[in-house]
Amino acid sequence: MTSPPLIEFKQVSKIYGHGEAAIRALDRVDLSIREHEFVAIMGPSGSGKSTAMNILGCLDVPSAGDYIFQGVSTQGFDRSQLTLLRRHMLGFVFQGFNLLPRTSALENVELPLIYRGTQASERHRKAKEALGLVGLSGREHHKTQELSGGQQQRVAIARAIVAEPSLLLADEPTGNLDTKTSVEIMDLMTRLNREQGITIVMVTHEPDIAAYAQRLLRFIDGKLETEAEHRGRADHVL
């Protein structure tokens, strides 16, 4: 039997403002992503891709429709419930790395486990393992300012996966990196998806970066193009 989707949007809309000033950032979007997929999201500025990402990450909630996570509707979740979902089920990678300055790689990676109340010895062990997975064994005690941009993003990825989330959300993960380093980071993310089975949803504006994903979702004016419509232009887009 086919397993149910890991995450689903069912007729999700997001409206900002009221009356004539209202902006419909998402317009009745349906989507589903299965466990172990690597999905890229693209679209021009104002297309709704960032709004979709915020809802996927439980940083925002739909104005209408339902976001379903592992078969459970999040409709009606309060702030504390959304926080718990983020803390225990989601990992985040950002364009700007968002690492604590003057803090070691190991300490940065341990942060999600501190929020979970994990004991110190277990935190150290898991953080070292995560840094090993991203190719930073031996650099555990390097401070943030002692690391290159690519190494900082590797630390950020290790921090995102250390708590073994069900879903990794990456927002322009190569936006601050040069071409060579971008390729290294995308090779790493591809390996984590294929070898570790991590489900990844990535927003990017770069077609060559989106090409690393198994599937591309394109937003236009708050709507999601169907895959059939997109596949007809796949060779041109990618």
Side-chain angles (χ1 to χ4, degrees), residues 79-91:
R79 185 173 298 179
S80 63
Q81 289 172 305
L82 292 172
T83 298
L84 285 172
L85 197 156
R86 285 197 304 272
R87 184 177 298 168
H88 291 276
M89 299 293 188
L90 306 177

Side-chain angles (χ1 to χ4, degrees), residues 116-132:
R116 283 191 176 192
T118 306
Q119 291 186 346
S121 59
E122 183 72 357
R123 290 202 310 266
H124 298 332
R125 183 185 67 79
K126 288 194 170 187
K128 282 187 175 182
E129 286 181 357
L131 285 166

Side-chain angles (χ1 to χ4, degrees), residues 164-185:
E164 300 177 0
S166 299
L167 175 66
L168 178 64
L169 298 169
D171 191 359
E172 301 282 3
T174 62
N176 284 341
L177 304 175
D178 59 40
T179 301
K180 179 177 179 295
T181 308
S182 295
V183 169
E184 293 173 355
I185 292 299

Side-chain angles (χ1 to χ4, degrees), residues 11-172:
Q11 291 289 289
V12 166
S13 294
K14 183 63 183 181
I15 302 170
Y16 297 102
H18 303 279
E20 293 183 2
I23 297 173
R24 186 176 286 270
L26 291 178
D27 187 8
R28 291 164 292 184
V29 171
D30 289 314
L31 69 80
S32 66
I33 295 171
R34 297 195 175 277
E35 202 171 14
H36 311 310
E37 276 199 285
F38 186 172
V39 176
I41 295 177
M42 295 189 74
S45 178
S47 64
K49 63 183 187 297
S50 294
T51 301
M53 197 68 154
N54 285 340
I55 293 174
L56 288 172
C58 296
L59 300 170
D60 204 348
V61 296
S63 302
D66 198 3
Y67 173 30
I68 298 171
F69 193 98
Q70 291 186 329
V72 177
S73 169
T74 63
Q75 203 171 51
F77 273 26
D78 61 25
R79 185 173 298 179
S80 63
Q81 289 172 305
L82 292 172
T83 298
L84 285 172
L85 197 156
R86 285 197 304 272
R87 184 177 298 168
H88 291 276
M89 299 293 188
L90 306 177
F92 296 88
V93 178
F94 302 98
Q95 177 177 340
F97 315 145
N98 289 8
L99 301 178
L100 295 178
R102 299 181 298 279
T103 304
S104 72
L106 190 71
E107 290 168 320
N108 269 285
V109 175
E110 284 182 319
L111 276 176
L113 301 177
I114 291 173
Y115 295 141
R116 283 191 176 192
T118 306
Q119 291 186 346
S121 59
E122 183 72 357
R123 290 202 310 266
H124 298 332
R125 183 185 67 79
K126 288 194 170 187
K128 282 187 175 182
E129 286 181 357
L131 285 166
L133 281 174
V134 301
L136 288 180
S137 292
R139 290 186 171 85
E140 293 91 347
H141 301 292
H142 283 59
K143 299 291 194 292
T144 298
Q145 63 265 32
E146 297 171 341
L147 300 171
S148 68
Q151 289 171 334
Q152 289 185 48
Q153 191 61 297
R154 287 174 184 268
V155 173
I157 293 170
R159 181 184 58 192
I161 66 173
V162 70
E164 300 177 0
S166 299
L167 175 66
L168 178 64
L169 298 169
D171 191 359
E172 301 282 3

